[in-house]
Structure formats: C-alpha cells, structure tokens
Amino acid sequence: DAKTTQPPSMDCAEGRAANLPCNHSTISGNEYVYWYRQIHSQGPQYIIHGLKNNETNEMASLIITEDRKSSTLILPHATLRDTAVYYCIVRVSVGSGGSNYKLTFGKGTLLTVNP
Amino acid sequence: EPEVTQTPSHQVTQMGQEVILRCVPISNHLYFYWYRQILGQKVEFLVSFYNNEISEKSEIFDDQFSVERPDGSNFTLKIRSTKLEDSAMYFCASRSDGTDTQYFGPGTRLTVL
C-alpha cells in the first residue's frame, strides 16, 4: 500500500503557484520522497525527489518538513499544460543490496489549472 | 533527450492468446521495470529486472507473466494466456545505475476481448 496521503483534487489559476501537499507520517529515515505526474493516460513523468533538504529543479520545488512527515510540491507558475494527476511516492527498496527500488503509486491529486 | 519507447501503442487480442509487449529502455540504463494501470485505477508495480534476472515481482506477476531482455536493447513482457482482466495500460520504465530516477515510456494499451 502507498505510504502517502494526498487530497484527491485541487484547483489552481493559471499563472499562480500550485502547492500540492502530501503526508507521509510513517516514512523511514532513509526513504526518499518522489513526485511524478500523469497527464491523461500517458506514462508517469518524473518531477523531483528529495530526502531531507528542499530541492528545486526547472519544473518544481519540493519542500520537506523538518520531521519529514510531510512535503509540498510547488509549481511556481502553473500553466494549463500542468493539469494532471500528481503522485507523491515514498520509494520502497527491493531485492538485495539496497540499490534497487519500486514505486508504489497511490491515487494522487488531480490538479486542474483554470484559465 | 533520450526516452523510453514502447511498441505497440495499442494491442488487441483474444482471451487465451499470448502477447508480447516491447520496450526499448534508455541506452545506458541497467534497471528495468514493468508497471500496469487498469482503466481508472492506480499504477501498479509488476516486476523489476536487473543483471539479467528478476530482482522483485509483485503478486500480480504470476506464472502467466515473463520478462526477457533478448538482445541487449529490448526489454519484453510476455503474457502467455491473456485474460479479460489483463486489459490495462502497461508501462515500461528504466533507470541507470548512478541515478535515483525511473523514467517511464508512453505505455501500451492492451485490450483483451
């Protein structure tokens, strides 16, 4: 089962920042938080990931609370093309050696960006 | 930018038939995955493949499923005898040894009639 909780839907005005929350209260100290999005039925698209520190890339920023029990994905200037389902995922190690992992998707948040 | 590709984009088959879904991972990637998404439901992990062997599989990945990397570039998922409930989008993903990110392909829509 997914180890995260997200609101089922959110709306955002075009040009505004979209702030998508995620709770992961049972996260372990060495587990990463990943964000992906899925537009219609396309393949999930990687956005960003982090462990403890806040992260920023060309797509988004990831703010992780100090206790790591929650995080927020920020799209600084949302566009209509950002309408998608956004998934917050805690990475789960698989196999031996600790180098491999699987992604356990939840239901995500449907972000609708309105004109 | 390198991408994961999948063929075909849509496969229609009769129940009981064998299907092979094909994926070409990003060229220097060493970890390969299959996920599926039944219409309207969550994306589900099926299997992870590394160093020419399965490193993890879910309970969905039963004896009817198999994976293979036949020629060093393709990565295939075979379903031996398809059932109606196998109808879904199947996504391939790959990852390099030095990074933490799985990159997904566009998916193959499998329809079992």
Side-chain angles (χ1 to χ4, degrees):
Chain A
D1 285 341
K3 299 174 71 171
T4 62
T5 304
Q6 299 177 252
S9 63
M10 292 182 65
D11 284 338
C12 177
E14 188 177 18
R16 298 285 197 147
N19 296 277
L20 291 91
C22 178
N23 286 321
H24 31 79
S25 57
T26 60
I27 195 169
S28 299
N30 61 350
E31 291 180 325
Y32 283 77
V33 177
Y34 281 71
W35 284 83
Y36 279 77
R37 72 181 183 183
Q38 189 175 28
I39 298 171
H40 296 300
S41 293
Q42 297 177 23
Q45 179 188 22
Y46 167 78
I47 301 173
I48 199 166
H49 74 283
L51 182 62
K52 296 180 188 175
N53 299 321
N54 298 337
E55 302 287 344
T56 295
N57 63 21
E58 65 278 3
M59 288 184 71
S61 294
L62 174 60
I63 309 298
I64 302 174
T65 58
E66 193 169 340
D67 63 8
R68 303 210 325 119
K69 292 186 177 181
S70 66
S71 60
T72 301
L73 178 74
I74 301 172
L75 306 180
H77 305 287
T79 71
L80 299 180
R81 289 180 298 178
D82 291 323
T83 294
V85 178
Y86 287 77
Y87 299 101
C88 170
I89 301 166
V90 172
R91 188 176 99 176
V92 176
S93 293
V94 296
S96 59
S99 63
N100 200 5
Y101 69 91
K102 66 180 179 182
L103 297 171
T104 302
F105 289 78
K107 294 183 179 179
T109 296
L110 173 60
L111 175 69
T112 303
V113 181
N114 300 306
Chain B
E1 185 174 324
E3 293 179 334
V4 177
T5 59
Q6 292 185 241
T7 55
S9 57
H10 190 189
Q11 174 93 44
V12 180
T13 189
Q14 295 291 324
M15 188 171 55
Q17 294 296 304
E18 175 184 285
V19 294
I20 298 176
L21 310 182
R22 291 183 167 78
C23 168
V24 178
I26 295 172
S27 65
N28 63 343
H29 285 191
L30 299 178
Y31 294 87
F32 312 110
Y33 309 85
W34 284 100
Y35 292 79
R36 81 170 186 190
Q37 185 176 34
I38 295 171
L39 186 63
Q41 299 188 24
K42 298 183 288 186
V43 177
E44 300 173 288
F45 168 79
L46 290 179
V47 66
S48 168
F49 190 85
Y50 170 71
N51 201 24
N52 285 319
E53 62 183 22
I54 291 173
S55 55
E56 179 80 7
K57 60 183 180 180
S58 73
E59 57 188 28
I60 302 169
F61 194 89
D62 61 21
D63 292 345
Q64 291 301 310
F65 291 86
S66 62
V67 289
E68 192 178 29
R69 188 153 162 80
D71 58 12
S73 62
N74 291 284
F75 180 52
T76 62
L77 174 69
K78 182 193 291 187
I79 308 175
R80 265 180 266 282
S81 177
T82 51
K83 306 181 200 125
L84 295 176
E85 54 264 38
D86 293 328
S87 294
M89 284 289 290
Y90 287 81
F91 297 108
C92 172
S94 70
R95 176 173 75 92
S96 71
D97 199 8
T99 69
D100 293 325
T101 303
Q102 292 183 23
Y103 294 94
F104 284 75
T108 292
R109 179 173 299 282
L110 176 65
T111 302
V112 182
L113 302 176

